[in-house]
Amino acid sequence: MKVSVTDIIDTSKDLLVLGIFQEDEDMSYEFLNTLFAKELQEALGLGVFKKTYGEVYPTKFAGLGYRRVLVLALGSKDEMSLERVRRLMSKAVSYTKIYKFESFSMNILSLIENTGRFSPEELGRASAEGLYLSNYSFKKYMSIVPENPEKDIQTVTLTWIKDKDNFLKGFEEGKIIAECTNFAKDLVNEPPMLMTPAYMEKVAEEIAENKNIKLRVLDKKDLEEKGFGAILGVSKGSEHPPKLLILEYHGSEEGPVTAIVGKGITFDTGGYNIKPTGSMETMKCDMGGAAAVMAMIKAAAALGLKKKIIGVAPVCENAISGSAYKPGDILIAYNKKSIEVTNTDAEGRLILADALAYVEEKYKPDVIIDLATLTGACVVALGSSISGIVSTNKELQDALQKAGDVSYDRVWPLPLLEEYKDSMKGTISDLKNTAATGYGAGTITAAVFLQNFVTQQKWAHIDIAGPAFLLEGKDYLQKGATGAGVRLLSYYFLRN
Ligand code: BES
Ligand code: ZN
Ligand code: ZN
């Protein structure tokens, strides 16, 4: 997709996308009337056009050398937001595809710029995110060309941006963030027969081709020697040996070190506490945290962040076989704490326990952020539009929440309650992997469990179980993988 930012309206394109702010109704009508006169009035019907944000007026006629004109209602200027910019872009992309066109030209950004409410960089970043996130599809396994094949959009023209240099600076960043998010989507959308720990290692090797990135891999033998009892326990039932993948990003050797840790269960059957039909089908998404971490390391290098970030992904499969771990087994984690497995489906916290304890000991990071499709309870509490966050540090939590609000890859805080600590205590071991009955609060008790493996640092745990994988697409996010966490972390690192 070639995107150009020009001063003049480009007349060689398929679709012209125009916008009208509620406040500018008269002026815009006048403007549109001079361009399209009678046809537009007929198509829109004067007085019928309500201009409520989100309404779309696809006209049936050509004009100014365009094959079609699309008018988007922008709502009021006060309510315009960067998220609306992303969604407007996705509208333009989807209508271009509906019409089977290859290009569109849009003047809306200049109208938004004129409100003076957004910096050119912000506008550029959000526009690129909307564009590149919307233009994603995962069709590689389709042998039969669908009846109405979606054409890829070839060219996009954005007209009349005044401060082009700063707009383009933001646009480049947004493009990187969106492309890395799409990279994470690709990893999660791959079928689990292909997406194994060994495949993830190959992906990590490719990421580490960048000169600022170093890959370290602990394979099964290393994990056995070093005492990663929890990861080894979870992976016992699988024919794919586990891996601990560590991608070190060296953008600077000064300043704080941040570790990002992602749950990498390549498929979660539930183990002997097997998931029922209806709960297992989407469980290839259970490495969404690991995918986000790897995509973030890729993004850090592409954005040229002046930071040291350690990306850690414990990767294995929670499968069933004669050798699988069982309820009642006791695993010894990397920090020597013993854990009784009370439910083999609470496997994510087990592999994270080992990974968190290891990263704390080995790298002594100042900040640890983990991302995991950890609990169904989080989906019940918050649904699929927002992730849960539980943190030991208010400042870190606030910074992540702010990054989430601006990127719209949002997080909502849940408390790390003292009172719930006892819920995860063992009776014949130090810990159990599920809470005693009667506690509820599954997302919090999971975090309480993880807290036993991070003792020193500022820590935030982000439960992406809801937003990581959608059953239905919406705006710039498609059905299936969303790359949840990549935009959140990218904005966090750009701002902190
Ligand atoms: N991978 C699941 C959590 C999940 C659920 C992710 C829905 C995405 C969508 C996790 O391993 C799991 O099964 N957790 C259990 C924990 C329980 C046994 C304490 C759950 O949430 O039911
Ligand atoms: Zn599970
Ligand atoms: Zn899981």
Side-chain angles (χ1 to χ4, degrees):
M1 185 163 61
K2 188 180 165 294
V3 181
S4 46
V5 180
T6 64
D7 295 322
I8 41 144
I9 198 156
D10 185 333
T11 56
S12 61
K13 299 291 178 281
D14 292 324
L15 182 69
L16 175 62
V17 185
L18 301 173
I20 301 182
F21 270 119
Q22 223 161 275
E23 294 89 335
D24 291 344
E25 171 183 345
D26 298 340
M27 195 196 83
S28 300
Y29 270 129
E30 224 168 84
F31 165 70
L32 292 174
N33 284 343
T34 52
L35 294 184
F36 307 108
K38 229 173 82 236
E39 297 99 312
L40 189 74
Q41 291 181 34
E42 275 167 19
L44 300 178
L46 275 179
V48 178
F49 187 50
K50 289 196 200 72
K51 300 159 296 298
T52 313
Y53 164 75
E55 286 183 43
V56 180
Y57 296 88
T59 60
K60 291 194 182 62
F61 59 90
L64 275 183
Y66 290 85
R67 292 162 70 190
R68 287 259 185 171
V69 179
L70 183 73
V71 184
L72 302 181
L74 305 180
S76 76
K77 289 181 185 175
D78 283 352
E79 278 167 5
M80 182 44 69
S81 64
L82 294 172
E83 176 60 7
R84 285 192 173 183
V85 172
R86 293 184 193 98
R87 292 183 187 182
L88 288 165
M89 280 295 168
S90 89
K91 284 242 155 60
V93 167
S94 63
Y95 274 89
T96 306
K97 290 189 173 183
I98 287 168
Y99 293 138
K100 303 191 187 67
F101 290 165
E102 290 183 0
S103 64
F104 73 85
S105 187
M106 189 196 240
N107 83 327
I108 291 173
L109 291 169
S110 59
L111 302 181
I112 298 172
E113 187 184 30
N114 285 342
T115 65
R117 295 191 41 229
F118 308 99
S119 73
E121 285 104 314
E122 285 177 322
L123 272 181
R125 216 179 287 127
S127 308
E129 287 166 9
L131 261 178
Y132 289 94
L133 290 171
S134 313
N135 205 30
Y136 175 86
S137 63
F138 189 77
K139 294 269 161 62
K140 67 194 259 198
Y141 293 101
M142 294 182 86
S143 66
I144 303 159
V145 181
E147 214 177 291
N148 297 318
E150 278 175 14
K151 282 189 194 166
D152 278 338
I153 297 178
Q154 301 296 325
T155 49
V156 173
T157 312
L158 306 175
T159 52
W160 298 326
I161 303 293
K162 274 188 229 114
D163 186 350
K164 227 186 281 177
D165 288 349
N166 283 316
F167 178 86
L168 284 172
K169 183 177 172 281
F171 193 91
E172 276 312 305
E173 283 174 358
K175 183 179 174 192
I176 291 168
I177 294 168
E179 285 183 339
C180 289
T181 305
N182 288 341
F183 172 81
K185 291 184 200 169
D186 270 346
L187 297 181
V188 175
N189 281 329
E190 279 296 345
M193 59 184 282
L194 181 97
M195 181 47 70
T196 60
Y199 189 90
M200 276 294 251
E201 181 181 354
K202 281 213 192 78
V203 173
E205 277 167 6
E206 278 166 32
I207 294 172
E209 279 168 18
N210 184 286
K211 68 173 182 5
N212 287 333
I213 300 174
K214 192 176 151 227
L215 171 65
R216 289 184 51 233
V217 179
L218 303 191
D219 60 20
K220 190 176 173 208
K221 204 164 135 278
D222 302 318
L223 297 173
E224 283 166 354
E225 279 170 15
K226 292 187 198 297
F228 287 79
I231 298 177
L232 290 164
V234 171
S235 61
K236 265 170 72 186
S238 170
E239 63 179 44
H240 304 289
K243 308 264 180 195
L244 186 74
L245 307 175
I246 302 154
L247 284 164
E248 300 175 1
Y249 171 66
H250 296 270
S252 165
E253 295 310 315
E254 282 148 39
V257 177
T258 306
I260 50 176
V261 182
K263 171 178 173 182
I265 294 292
T266 57
F267 193 77
D268 184 9
T269 65
Y272 276 112
N273 292 102
I274 192 165
K275 286 188 183 291
T277 296
S279 297
M280 201 193 292
E281 291 80 350
T282 58
M283 280 303 134
K284 67 176 183 182
C285 80
D286 219 16
M287 37 64 75
V293 161
M294 290 172 54
M296 182 60 233
I297 294 295
K298 198 176 155 76
L303 291 167
L305 298 181
K306 303 266 176 289
K307 294 184 187 299
K308 184 163 171 179
I309 307 172
I310 311 296
V312 182
V315 191
C316 68
E317 187 183 53
N318 188 18
I320 301 176
S321 75
S323 56
Y325 78 146
K326 301 166 201 74
D329 280 351
I330 294 181
L331 309 175
I332 311 296
Y334 184 79
N335 67 354
K336 302 283 182 281
K337 289 193 181 171
S338 60
I339 310 161
E340 183 182 358
V341 178
T342 40
N343 190 316
T344 59
D345 198 9
E347 82 299 334
R349 60 195 76 184
L350 293 171
I351 67 166
L352 286 175
D354 269 353
L356 290 168
Y358 177 74
V359 78
E360 163 167 294
E361 183 201 270
K362 170 89 183 158
Y363 292 96
K364 307 203 166 29
D366 302 275
V367 174
I368 303 184
I369 302 167
D370 77 74
L371 293 139
T373 45
L374 206 64
T375 63
C378 203
V379 191
V380 173
L382 299 173
S384 61
S385 293
I386 194 162
S387 299
I389 181 169
V390 186
S391 180
T392 51
N393 185 279
K394 180 79 167 65
E395 204 187 325
L396 174 63
Q397 179 184 295
D398 288 348
L400 283 161
Q401 198 174 2
K402 184 87 196 138
D405 289 346
V406 184
S407 65
Y408 228 67
D409 187 359
R410 294 170 297 170
V411 296
W412 194 255
L414 294 168
L416 192 54
L417 291 187
E418 268 308 301
E419 297 94 305
Y420 294 172
K421 285 221 168 116
D422 286 346
S423 71
M424 303 303 291
K425 291 225 168 92
T427 42
I428 58 166
S429 57
D430 300 333
L431 296 162
K432 299 179 286 133
N433 77 331
T434 57
T437 43
Y439 272 89
T443 307
I444 300 174
T445 53
V448 163
F449 174 86
L450 293 177
Q451 205 186 356
N452 287 285
F453 304 89
V454 271
T455 54
Q456 306 296 318
Q457 293 83 359
K458 295 180 183 171
W459 167 63
H461 159 63
I462 298 168
D463 194 329
I464 57 171
F469 200 85
L470 301 180
L471 299 177
E472 247 173 79
K474 192 171 188 299
D475 296 311
Y476 50 82
L477 294 176
Q478 296 73 24
K479 175 175 152 63
T482 62
V486 182
R487 285 189 291 140
L488 169 71
L489 290 179
S490 299
Y491 273 68
Y492 169 77
F493 283 120
L494 281 175
R495 301 162 68 99
N496 293 279

